Amino acid sequence: MKLKNNRCAYLFFFDGYVSVAPTIISLAEVLSEKFDKVYIFAKDTGYGRYVFENKKISLIYCDDYNSAKKNLNKIKNYFRSVFRIFKDIGFPKKDDLVINVDDTSFLGVSLFSLLFKLQLVYLSLEIPVRSVNFFNKIFFLFLSSILIQDNTRLEALLKCYTIKFLFDKFKAKTFFIPNSSIVSPCLTSRKPNLIEQFGINKSDKIICSQIGMIHDYVYSYELANVFNKLDDAILIYHDRHIIDKNEPYIKKLLDANSKNLYLSSLTYDFNELHLAYEPIDIGIALYRFVDNNFGLIGRASGKLSFYLKYRKPVIVNKLDGYSDLIEEYNCGVVINDINNCSEWTSAIEKIKTNYEEYSDNAYRCYLNEFDFKTKSKNFIEYISK
């Protein structure tokens, strides 16, 4: 139960995938340093439930309050469960904070914040790819602040929400926070690390990995195909869920590369991800410009922030607001033509020859651009006033 004198923060996360959302987890942790209680309203997803060790954070799954077994992917049913939760924990009061995540739940959360006269923050994890509801655009004008990864993504978000003849009324403050983790690794895990499962000898070849989704959106096929022509490196794919080798796309990858492509059979909890990132040599983070979320990935790339955190030099493709960061810090190599075998050979050899320098630069980039506690400091100070 919520104590009456406590100041609380409420995060409405309609998509619900907290267990694979570094920003949500990190934000809840830093909010707990200033608020007496932080509540997150989420839903069950295929990625499983996350458990916070921090007792000031309550991650509540709406499924547990869905007694009528309604479809929680419908926004009205999600909010029905949320109101049942509030009957248990108590409703908000003045000085509490409300954070809405992305567009789908924004109208409902806006009405909720107006009803209780609460400060409303918009956290953007995804840029809307469909036209934004007119009423959402109206309520956007009354935001207290926006949390987003960088200026490139901010411009894309504002373009989605802008009502030109009313834009002069937009007064929200903007704070840039990266998609990165502050969670301490679980050092007691008994799972093998990413390369131990294959019995790979690290001294043999340089180990490259693209960690995360396996899809055309991240050039998985092209990458597998080009590595089939490389002799001195291996490629590992690791996904957030168990990779099904009978799935047609996975079969296509294996047909393209039966030489040096390894598919992880493991999954790791969020606090075990060091087991995936620490043992590799080079991190690969490619994105196809299918929409603004992928094409303007910038500091929204979770895998990039993890590579850099664990001092891994990276190979990325050319994208504005993304690859220029790698060039600025000299923490990896930018590939212009993903299908060009000689480019990959040159990139890997370049990193291998100057590995310590690239590794140091990777961590420097992380500290300057992706350290969540540092980057969120101004926002936390702002809402603490």
Side-chain angles (χ1 to χ4, degrees):
M1 294 292 290
K2 173 185 162 188
L3 300 177
K4 287 186 177 181
N5 293 327
N6 283 2
R7 188 179 181 211
C8 301
Y10 304 93
L11 280 80
F12 291 79
F13 189 27
F14 177 73
D15 287 335
Y17 51 89
V18 177
S19 60
V20 292
T23 299
I24 299 294
I25 295 170
S26 296
L27 181 59
E29 292 287 356
V30 296
L31 286 170
S32 73
E33 296 175 6
K34 294 295 182 179
F35 288 83
D36 299 292
K37 194 71 177 179
V38 178
Y39 293 95
I40 306 172
F41 307 121
K43 298 181 303 184
D44 279 327
T45 69
Y47 300 114
R49 294 190 173 192
Y50 184 76
V51 178
F52 283 93
E53 294 183 6
N54 187 340
K55 300 304 179 184
K56 293 177 71 175
I57 303 172
S58 288
L59 172 52
I60 304 175
Y61 286 87
C62 292
D63 307 72
D64 296 338
Y65 289 78
N66 184 23
S67 56
K69 304 300 180 185
K70 298 285 187 179
N71 182 3
L72 290 179
N73 289 324
K74 292 184 177 180
I75 193 70
K76 63 179 181 180
N77 295 330
Y78 169 79
F79 277 107
R80 280 196 185 107
S81 293
V82 167
F83 272 92
R84 291 190 186 103
I85 295 167
F86 275 116
K87 287 181 180 179
D88 274 2
I89 66 175
F91 284 88
K93 64 184 188 319
K94 185 181 177 182
D95 294 331
D96 285 350
L97 178 73
V98 172
I99 300 177
N100 170 79
V101 184
D102 292 333
D103 182 68
T104 308
S105 59
F106 182 53
L107 181 57
V109 177
S110 297
L111 292 170
F112 178 85
S113 66
L114 283 175
L115 177 64
F116 290 95
K117 299 180 181 179
L118 303 170
Q119 186 178 1
L120 177 61
V121 176
Y122 186 105
L123 168 59
S124 173
L125 299 185
E126 304 285 341
I127 307 296
V129 294
R130 299 186 182 92
S131 60
V132 171
N133 182 293
F134 179 77
F135 291 105
N136 285 28
K137 291 182 178 182
I138 292 294
F139 281 112
F140 199 77
L141 296 171
F142 299 99
L143 285 173
S144 160
S145 53
I146 297 171
L147 293 173
I148 197 165
Q149 296 78 25
D150 53 42
N151 195 59
T152 303
R153 290 177 73 85
L154 174 65
E155 290 177 2
L157 182 73
L158 293 181
K159 189 174 181 180
C160 293
Y161 276 96
T162 295
I163 303 174
K164 291 184 179 179
F165 64 91
L166 292 175
F167 191 71
D168 62 327
K169 298 185 181 298
F170 182 72
K171 306 296 183 184
K173 290 183 68 67
T174 300
F175 299 92
F176 296 124
I177 57 170
N179 185 26
S180 62
S181 170
I182 59 173
V183 174
S184 298
C186 173
L187 302 179
T188 59
S189 175
R190 295 184 177 182
K191 292 180 183 178
N193 70 35
L194 189 60
I195 68 170
E196 285 173 340
Q197 64 179 303
F198 305 113
I200 296 171
N201 187 339
K202 279 201 70 172
S203 64
D204 289 346
K205 296 181 179 181
I206 195 156
I207 299 171
C208 305
S209 182
Q210 179 152 270
I211 296 173
M213 71 185 300
I214 301 173
H215 199 280
D216 271 341
Y217 288 1
V218 292
Y219 292 101
S220 296
Y221 175 77
E222 289 86 348
L223 185 57
N225 189 53
V226 77
F227 261 75
N228 192 50
K229 303 166 188 173
L230 304 184
D231 293 323
D232 297 324
I234 67 170
L235 173 64
I236 300 176
Y237 284 157
H238 175 79
D239 206 343
R240 296 176 293 189
H241 53 74
I242 294 174
I243 300 171
D244 181 4
K245 293 183 180 179
N246 293 316
E247 198 267 321
Y249 189 72
I250 300 299
K251 285 184 175 181
K252 180 181 175 182
L253 300 181
L254 293 172
D255 287 341
N257 187 331
S258 59
K259 174 183 174 182
N260 57 9
L261 173 63
Y262 292 79
L263 300 179
S264 173
S265 61
L266 298 172
T267 59
Y268 296 112
D269 292 336
F270 192 84
N271 62 355
E272 296 175 325
L273 285 175
H274 64 289
L275 296 174
Y277 287 91
E278 281 184 338
I280 67 172
D281 297 314
I282 296 175
I284 299 173
L286 309 178
Y287 294 93
R288 194 186 300 271
F289 204 140
V290 291
D291 59 32
N292 283 341
N293 285 305
F294 287 87
L296 305 178
I297 191 68
R299 289 160 183 80
S301 173
K303 70 182 74 174
L304 177 62
S305 70
F306 272 102
Y307 292 143
L308 299 176
K309 181 177 183 178
Y310 288 103
R311 300 176 177 268
K312 304 305 172 184
V314 295
I315 297 177
V316 304
N317 59 312
K318 190 77 173 177
L319 284 173
D320 290 341
Y322 177 62
S323 52
D324 51 336
L325 186 68
I326 308 307
E327 292 173 327
E328 177 185 348
Y329 282 91
N330 192 32
C331 57
V333 178
V334 178
I335 294 287
N336 293 294
D337 180 1
I338 291 169
N339 295 297
N340 189 321
C341 180
S342 61
E343 264 203 82
W344 283 95
T345 300
S346 175
I348 292 170
E349 185 60 31
K350 189 175 181 181
I351 291 172
K352 186 178 178 181
T353 303
N354 304 281
Y355 194 85
E356 187 174 342
E357 178 185 352
Y358 279 113
S359 178
D360 290 343
N361 288 343
Y363 191 60
R364 181 167 61 90
C365 181
Y366 168 77
L367 291 177
N368 290 346
E369 305 292 341
F370 288 91
D371 181 47
F372 195 93
K373 279 202 170 185
T374 301
K375 291 297 183 180
S376 63
K377 185 177 179 180
N378 289 341
F379 171 68
I380 298 301
E381 290 178 351
Y382 170 71
I383 61 174
S384 299
K385 293 178 182 178

